[in-house]
Amino acid sequence: MSLTSLESIAFREIRERIMRAEYMPGSMLSENELAAQLGMSRTPVRAAISLLEREGLVGSFRGRGVMVKEVSVHEFSEMYEVLVSMQLFVLDTAAKRQLKFDIAAMEQVLEQQQSALEQKDYYGYYNSTLQFTETILKTIHNESMLQIMELYRGRYVFTTVSYRIKYPQYQPSHSIQTNRSILEAIKSGDIAAAKAAVASQYSDTHEQFILHGLMK
């Protein structure tokens, strides 16, 4: 197996563990321990950590190791605003160009999200949320948008999953309700209603940030 393949395996494995919040914000990671767990040398692990650092998931501290970074509310809010803006643009653009949405793929993702919700699988739930958004974005074949989605995925899912683990009294349900509303609106050809569902969730989320004193 090539070094590049090992780097890729290490990157994907460590990234997914972080996204699943197996390592909570502030956790210190050891290259030696990660290498032992993955059954490989420190070299590909170190390369993987470098990629994770660029993605904003970890930070390296000389003499201390690697720390899982906490995503600030401000940073998360900015990512969310970009995702909302892209969805609204795609909905408008698809309607103007008379493009067809992949209804079957959206329904499949919703089924996955519902299953994850029932099993209290926060990783599956929020990853499906992004997959649903990604399915919408794919409609206009804009690769730059999809690259932004992938850039955000790790930090977005990690933030939402770690929040639910930290505050288990708050159970998710809002995003799946919004996705259902979006899908039903798209199936009926009511793009305005789909956009309204996206905008409504954004407003509700922003209000929750303010209510809990996370934003001014």
Side-chain angles (χ1 to χ4, degrees):
M1 183 177 292
S2 69
L3 179 61
T4 301
S5 296
L6 287 173
E7 289 174 1
S8 179
I9 291 172
F11 172 74
R12 290 197 305 268
E13 180 64 28
I14 299 170
R15 184 176 187 248
E16 183 168 322
R17 291 182 185 185
I18 293 174
M19 289 169 65
R20 290 182 178 276
E22 293 181 19
Y23 310 122
M24 294 294 282
S27 299
M28 299 300 297
L29 306 180
S30 163
E31 288 184 5
N32 289 332
E33 291 179 2
L34 289 171
Q37 291 169 5
L38 297 173
M40 59 181 67
S41 70
R42 289 176 57 189
T43 301
V45 169
R46 190 178 297 116
I49 287 173
S50 179
L51 293 174
L52 292 167
E53 196 167 5
R54 291 180 202 171
E55 195 172 320
L57 285 169
V58 302
S60 296
F61 297 88
R62 183 172 296 179
R64 293 180 57 194
V66 179
M67 185 179 73
V68 178
K69 294 178 65 175
E70 182 171 11
V71 178
S72 70
V73 174
H74 179 73
E75 182 182 3
F76 181 81
S77 178
E78 286 188 341
M79 288 192 292
Y80 185 51
E81 287 175 352
V82 171
L83 294 177
V84 167
S85 298
M86 290 196 299
Q87 285 184 84
L88 295 175
F89 175 81
V90 169
L91 288 167
D92 268 338
T93 302
K96 291 176 182 177
R97 297 180 186 173
Q98 297 184 329
L99 301 175
K100 292 185 178 180
F101 294 89
D102 192 341
I103 301 298
M106 295 169 73
E107 290 176 336
Q108 183 178 13
V109 172
L110 268 180
E111 289 178 5
Q112 294 171 356
Q113 191 176 15
Q114 178 62 41
S115 177
L117 178 63
E118 293 170 357
Q119 298 174 33
K120 295 186 177 180
D121 173 10
Y122 301 136
Y123 169 78
Y125 180 83
Y126 287 111
N127 202 38
S128 294
T129 297
L130 286 190
Q131 287 177 347
F132 187 89
T133 300
E134 187 175 30
T135 303
I136 292 175
L137 299 187
K138 285 180 177 179
T139 306
I140 66 171
H141 307 290
N142 186 312
E143 289 301 320
S144 293
M145 285 187 175
L146 298 179
Q147 288 173 11
I148 291 172
M149 276 286 303
E150 191 56 34
L151 179 64
Y152 286 176
R153 189 183 307 277
R155 285 172 294 162
Y156 190 96
V157 174
F158 169 60
T159 302
T160 48
V161 173
S162 60
Y163 178 84
R164 294 302 176 187
I165 291 176
K166 190 175 181 181
Y167 302 103
Q169 66 271 33
Y170 303 124
Q171 294 298 310
S173 64
H174 198 177
S175 67
I176 193 170
Q177 293 173 3
T178 299
N179 289 344
R180 287 196 187 105
S181 297
I182 293 170
L183 177 57
E184 290 307 311
I186 288 175
K187 288 168 71 173
S188 65
D190 192 345
I191 298 301
K195 291 175 60 182
V198 174
S200 177
Q201 182 172 1
Y202 169 73
S203 297
D204 290 346
T205 301
H206 189 72
E207 288 177 5
Q208 287 299 312
F209 284 156
I210 294 175
L211 181 64
H212 291 92
L214 300 176
M215 292 183 65
K216 296 182 180 179

